[in-house]
Amino acid sequence: MLSVDLAARKLGLRPGTPVAKAQALYPDLVLMDADPEGDRLGLEKLALWFQHRIAPIVAVDAPDGLVLDTTGADHLHGGELPMLKDMVHRMAGAGFRAKAMVAETWGAAHAIARYGRAPIAVVQAGDASKALADLPLEALRLPPTIIEGLATLGVSRIGPLAAMPRAPLALRFGPDIARRLDQAFGRIGEAILPVRPVDPVEVSRNFAEPIGAAETIARYIGKLVPLLCQGLDERGQGVRRLDLLLHRVDSRTEAIRVATAMPVRDVKRLTRLLCEKIETINPGFGIERMVLIASQAEPMDRRQTVSSLIAEEETDVSDLVDTLANRVGMQALYRFAPVESDLPERSFCRVPALAPEETKDWPDHWPRPTRLLARPEPVQAMAELPDQPPLFFIWRGVRRKVKCADGPERVFGEWWKNDAELTIARDYFRVEDTSGERFWLYRAGDGEHGETGSQGWFLHGIFG
């Protein structure tokens, strides 16, 4: 058996178990023929999807993994840990069980992802040796014959192997052990050959002598961007995501990724966005080749300049949005849009900052607070009658006497989404205390019938 699913693992089956033995133990076992070529093609498609969504440098780590160099791109996803969580969540949504790790080297990330316990982890710089010490030798990508030979010597973990003298190991097993250890611990580089997107607009520049100064890199960025924009113009496209790959003389590749909220082929804007990321580049012993790729491009219509005699030109804030988004991340820049729902916590959603305006509008039959709490907070309150506002309420240890109030506004649950909300009801009140502060309170229920709610009081918002 080449592979088994989670249900088969719970039965005690493992990869390598003879098929005849598995069928004898479990006659109802479902078997499928392996399709290595189909798996390879599927993994390559997945790598292209990750290259499109996550980072510019993505390679296949056969037979069941991907390796990404996220340097210069993780800030677009809110940082390394949020990026990993988003990756695993997306894979789970597609029906895949995945683990994701960030480490200094490909070898360390490969080992911890496959043989570590945590499904998501970020190994800080300098901690790779500690994280790898207790992992089995299979994590080093060594041939089976070497692993079997080391097992006869009583060595089964990376830590003890790393502490052994190199010369006797090389004499007996060859150079593979030293090479894999050095790759895992970052002593030597390991080139990542990324998959290539289909027919992208791409320009490149080779250097007779390696470059490394920030000013030199900026100068050649200024030469590559106009050529890229010319190629985009010929296709009638604008760039949404731009990748700059810098190939170093030591076979390593540095990358910069910038994104735009709308299709763009403005030379000055794209040059500025790329040059702001130069400080994240580690040129090493020098850069011998620069490649600029429009990894995501969309059709871009030509627009006539608006004449002041005809109409006023609309203010274009896309440049500001792009600058902020590439500094703090795309996920940190958004605006709220209305959603058709009576429940306040479901009546809005986050959309990109420059998303098209929605035809729906916010409800205006009752005033809504300027600040809605992340979740309603329980308060102690007392009302004379079920349909009347509270006389006072205690919120966060402070007793507030109600001076005036308006309501109730009854809101029912969305029974078509959840059967539990079939009888749910809330009565909302706008109240003002004696100090002039205004709050949005509701009672969970109609005040009479227990099936409509707990009849407890909650504070849901604060008016400005």
Side-chain angles (χ1 to χ4, degrees), residues 3 19 52 156 162 171 205 209 213 272 284 298 421 429 443 456:
S3 179
V19 174
H52 177 72
S156 61
L171 184 62
R205 182 69 177 259
E209 295 291 336
R272 177 172 51 80
E298 296 179 359
E421 298 183 21
F429 293 88
R443 180 184 54 241

Side-chain angles (χ1 to χ4, degrees), residues 73-143:
D74 49 18
H75 69 283
L76 296 175
H77 309 282
E80 292 177 338
L81 191 58
M83 177 185 65
L84 295 183
K85 292 180 179 179
D86 180 63
M87 290 163 56
V88 172
H89 177 73
R90 288 178 181 274
M91 293 296 291
F96 295 97
R97 184 170 175 262
K99 298 173 69 176
M101 306 291 154
V102 167
E104 291 182 277
T105 64
W106 177 354
H110 173 100
I112 300 169
R114 285 169 170 77
Y115 296 93
R117 295 181 179 179
I120 297 174
V122 175
V123 180
Q124 301 299 329
D127 293 343
S129 58
K130 181 179 178 181
L132 295 173
D134 199 41
L135 297 183
L137 298 181
E138 289 82 358
L140 287 177
R141 298 172 289 170
L142 293 171

Side-chain angles (χ1 to χ4, degrees), residues 51-373:
Q51 188 181 63
H52 177 72
R53 288 288 229 169
I54 305 297
I57 301 179
V58 182
V60 172
D61 189 12
D64 57 355
L66 300 175
V67 56
L68 295 78
D69 187 345
T70 61
T71 306
D74 49 18
H75 69 283
L76 296 175
H77 309 282
E80 292 177 338
L81 191 58
M83 177 185 65
L84 295 183
K85 292 180 179 179
D86 180 63
M87 290 163 56
V88 172
H89 177 73
R90 288 178 181 274
M91 293 296 291
F96 295 97
R97 184 170 175 262
K99 298 173 69 176
M101 306 291 154
V102 167
E104 291 182 277
T105 64
W106 177 354
H110 173 100
I112 300 169
R114 285 169 170 77
Y115 296 93
R117 295 181 179 179
I120 297 174
V122 175
V123 180
Q124 301 299 329
D127 293 343
S129 58
K130 181 179 178 181
L132 295 173
D134 199 41
L135 297 183
L137 298 181
E138 289 82 358
L140 287 177
R141 298 172 289 170
L142 293 171
T145 54
I146 294 180
I147 294 176
E148 292 173 1
L150 289 170
T152 60
L153 299 177
V155 181
S156 61
R157 300 289 167 179
I158 295 177
L161 177 64
M164 295 177 67
R166 293 289 184 91
L169 291 175
L171 184 62
R172 181 167 181 174
F173 298 104
D176 285 345
I177 294 178
R179 179 171 59 88
R180 288 304 190 187
L181 285 172
D182 289 340
Q183 287 175 343
F185 296 141
R187 301 188 187 105
I188 61 174
E190 186 173 6
I192 299 176
L193 301 178
V195 294
R196 305 299 296 169
V198 179
D199 192 26
V201 179
E202 175 182 325
V203 293
S204 62
R205 182 69 177 259
N206 296 321
F207 305 107
E209 295 291 336
I211 65 172
E215 296 80 4
T216 308
I217 295 174
R219 184 169 70 252
Y220 284 105
I221 287 175
K223 294 181 179 180
L224 290 177
V225 171
L227 298 176
L228 183 84
C229 291
Q230 182 180 349
L232 290 168
D233 186 53
E234 293 173 355
R235 297 190 184 187
Q237 295 179 329
V239 67
R240 287 292 309 276
R241 186 172 292 117
L242 192 61
D243 296 331
L244 177 64
L245 306 183
L246 304 104
H247 298 273
R248 303 185 343 186
V249 295
D250 59 357
S251 299
R252 294 192 61 178
T253 303
E254 295 286 316
I256 296 176
R257 167 166 284 187
V258 297
T260 61
M262 301 173 62
V264 174
R265 57 171 177 259
D266 185 325
V267 173
K268 291 184 178 179
R269 182 190 301 190
L270 296 176
T271 301
R272 177 172 51 80
L273 292 176
L274 288 170
C275 288
E276 287 181 350
K277 298 296 181 182
I278 290 179
E279 62 183 15
T280 65
I281 297 172
N282 178 14
F285 295 107
I287 296 167
E288 60 182 0
R289 187 166 185 257
M290 291 175 60
V291 182
L292 189 61
I293 307 172
S295 55
Q296 182 181 354
E298 296 179 359
M300 183 176 179
D301 298 331
R302 298 180 182 273
R303 294 190 304 173
Q304 183 178 359
T305 303
V306 177
S307 172
S308 59
L309 299 177
I310 301 173
E312 294 184 2
E313 186 174 2
E314 296 182 0
T315 303
D316 184 10
V317 297
S318 61
D319 192 6
L320 174 62
V321 170
D322 293 342
T323 301
L324 295 175
N326 283 281
R327 289 179 181 176
V328 302
M330 288 293 183
Q331 297 178 343
L333 204 63
Y334 57 87
R335 63 181 178 84
F336 291 113
V339 175
E340 293 181 349
S341 177
D342 287 334
L343 293 176
E345 62 269 26
R346 301 177 188 170
S347 63
F348 64 92
C349 65
R350 294 182 179 184
V351 297
L354 296 181
E357 293 290 339
E358 298 284 343
T359 57
K360 300 183 289 293
D361 201 359
W362 304 101
D364 56 0
H365 51 283
W366 283 89
R368 291 291 185 261
T370 54
R371 177 192 171 193
L372 196 69
L373 300 183

